[in-house]
């Protein structure tokens, strides 16, 4: 009896061993993933590499043109942000993250977050549209500004539209054939690398309002949208973890990866990575948004102070011309909010 049981166990073990050996022979991808692969493994993504080199060369040439002019010099922090975004774009698609992007679900999930939320944020902080405007001849500059004020631009930058361009793509990616196309086709993979960055730019451009926009709105709207985006990220992460549906299951089964986590475990890790990273990368955006609010507030205060000073000087000049004493206490020291068109109705001004 024991010999029969032992024989069956040995037969099952041999079957599993032969099945694993067959899978190993059928698998043609990279070896088992290690943390060091993020720095030591590299691949080539021609589209991203070419676009990054061209955009980086244009940006540096435009900065040089602006700095040669009579106006203010271009801020080095903007240059660092833009070039950093390009370098991160290259790293996401050409480093070990790009090597395993079509092998591991978790790897792709991390890449999606970086391409949709971090790379576009850095590129937007570089203010490329403002640089394009300032480095262009007067006639071309007017055409660019006219295009930014056009109706299509205003519709694209409307808060609800631009927010949908950030929140919808991850759901569409994981629950439509788009994901399977991106991992099974080289063209689909390249399209994903470009589309996510463009959609992220369409979101961060009007949110930060560093560059000229077709429709300006209070920065507090951007804060509320950010909190809504956090909820959407959490919802998608929960669905990927507990939804019970394996994304692109047929592709990953046919891939026959003989190492690493199971398909279900890999998707669980990927869902957690998307959820946690999606929330963490929102913190730099909030910091950039708050900083932008502070800077804009200081600029508005300077404008108001300059207007008040000019008004006081004009009144004093009129009083001197008419030979009347200057009523500094009544005019120059009058609270500014009583004359501000947005606030005077609240205080009986």
């Amino acid at each position: 009896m024991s010999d029969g049981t032992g024989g069956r166990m040995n037969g099952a073990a041999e079957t599993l061993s032969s099945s694993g050996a067959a899978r190993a022979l059928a698998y043609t991808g990279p070896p088992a993933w290690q943390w060091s692969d993020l720095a030591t493994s590299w691949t080539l993504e021609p589209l991203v590499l070419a676009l990054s080199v061209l955009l980086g060369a244009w940006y540096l040439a435009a900065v040089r043109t602006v700095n040669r002019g009579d106006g203010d010099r271009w801020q080095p922090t903007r240059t660092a942000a833009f070039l950093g975004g390009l370098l991160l774009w290259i790293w996401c698609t050409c480093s070990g993250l790009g090597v395993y992007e079509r092998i591991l679900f978790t790897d792709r999930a991390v890449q999606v977050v970086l391409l949709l939320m971090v790379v576009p944020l850095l590129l937007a902080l570089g203010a490329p549209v403002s640089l394009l405007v300032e480095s262009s001849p007067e006639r071309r500059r007017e055409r660019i500004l006219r295009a930014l004020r056009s109706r299509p631009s205003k519709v694209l930058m409307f808060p609800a539209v631009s927010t949908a361009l950030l929140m919808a793509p991850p759901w569409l990616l994981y629950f439509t054939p788009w994901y399977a196309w991106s991992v099974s086709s080289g063209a689909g993979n390249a399209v994903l690398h470009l589309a996510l960055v463009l959609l992220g730019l369409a979101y961060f451009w009007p949110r930060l309002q560093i560059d000229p926009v077709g429709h300006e709105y209070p920065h507090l709207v951007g804060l509320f949208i950010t909190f809504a985006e956090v909820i959407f990220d959490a919802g998608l992460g929960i669905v990927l973890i507990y939804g019970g549906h394996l994304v692109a299951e047929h592709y990953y089964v046919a891939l026959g990866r003989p190492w690493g986590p199971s398909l279900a475990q890999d998707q669980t890790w990927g869902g957690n990575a998307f959820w946690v990273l999606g929330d963490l990368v929102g913190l730099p955006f909030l910091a950039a948004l708050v900083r932008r609010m502070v800077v804009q507030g200081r600029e508005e205060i300077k404008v108001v102070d300059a207007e008040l000073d000019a008004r006081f000087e004009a009144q004093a000049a009129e009083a001197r011309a008419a030979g009347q004493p200057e009523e500094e206490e009544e005019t120059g020291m009058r609270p500014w909010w009583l004359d501000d068109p947005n606030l005077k109705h609240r205080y009986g001004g």
Side-chain angles (χ1 to χ4, degrees), residues 178-244:
W178 186 11
Y179 187 91
W181 182 51
S182 73
V183 293
S184 61
S185 167
N189 195 41
V191 168
L192 180 70
H193 293 160
L194 179 61
L196 291 178
V197 173
L198 291 177
L199 291 170
L201 274 174
Y203 172 80
F204 287 111
W205 179 0
R207 286 297 84 79
L208 292 173
Q209 298 185 33
I210 296 176
D211 279 325
V213 295
H215 178 74
E216 294 185 1
Y217 53 89
H219 289 294
L220 287 177
V221 175
L223 291 176
F224 288 122
I225 292 174
T226 301
F227 292 128
E229 187 268 330
V230 168
I231 296 175
F232 270 75
D233 285 348
L236 179 56
I238 291 173
V239 171
L240 291 175
I241 297 169
Y242 303 107

Side-chain angles (χ1 to χ4, degrees), residues 101-106 108-109 112 169-184 192 236-255 257 262-271 274:
E101 63 184 354
R102 298 161 69 179
I103 307 299
L104 292 170
F105 185 92
T106 302
R108 174 67 94 185
V112 167
W171 290 85
L172 294 176
L173 174 65
Y174 290 113
F175 298 105
T176 67
W178 186 11
Y179 187 91
W181 182 51
S182 73
V183 293
S184 61
L192 180 70
L236 179 56
I238 291 173
V239 171
L240 291 175
I241 297 169
Y242 303 107
H245 168 70
L246 291 179
V247 178
E249 180 179 5
H250 295 294
Y251 168 80
Y252 286 114
V253 169
L255 185 64
R257 172 171 49 81
S262 65
L263 300 186
Q265 186 64 54
D266 188 20
Q267 182 165 314
T268 298
W269 290 354
F274 185 92

Side-chain angles (χ1 to χ4, degrees), residues 16 41 48 58 72 89 107 116 168 173 199 237 255 282 296 304 322 327:
L16 291 174
S41 297
V48 172
W58 164 79
D72 297 335
W89 194 10
D107 194 275
L116 184 64
L173 174 65
L199 291 170
L255 185 64
Q296 188 173 7
V304 172
E327 300 178 355

Side-chain angles (χ1 to χ4, degrees), residues 153-165:
S153 177
K154 292 181 178 180
V155 171
L156 180 64
M157 296 185 182
F158 187 72
V161 175
S162 58
T163 301
L165 293 177

Side-chain angles (χ1 to χ4, degrees), residues 113-142:
V113 174
L114 295 178
L115 291 180
L116 184 64
M117 302 186 66
V118 183
V119 172
L121 174 60
L122 292 173
L123 296 179
L125 288 173
V129 179
S130 297
L131 180 61
L132 176 63
V133 171
E134 293 188 25
S135 63
S136 298
E138 187 65 28
R139 184 176 300 178
R140 186 187 306 170
R141 183 181 307 177
E142 293 177 358

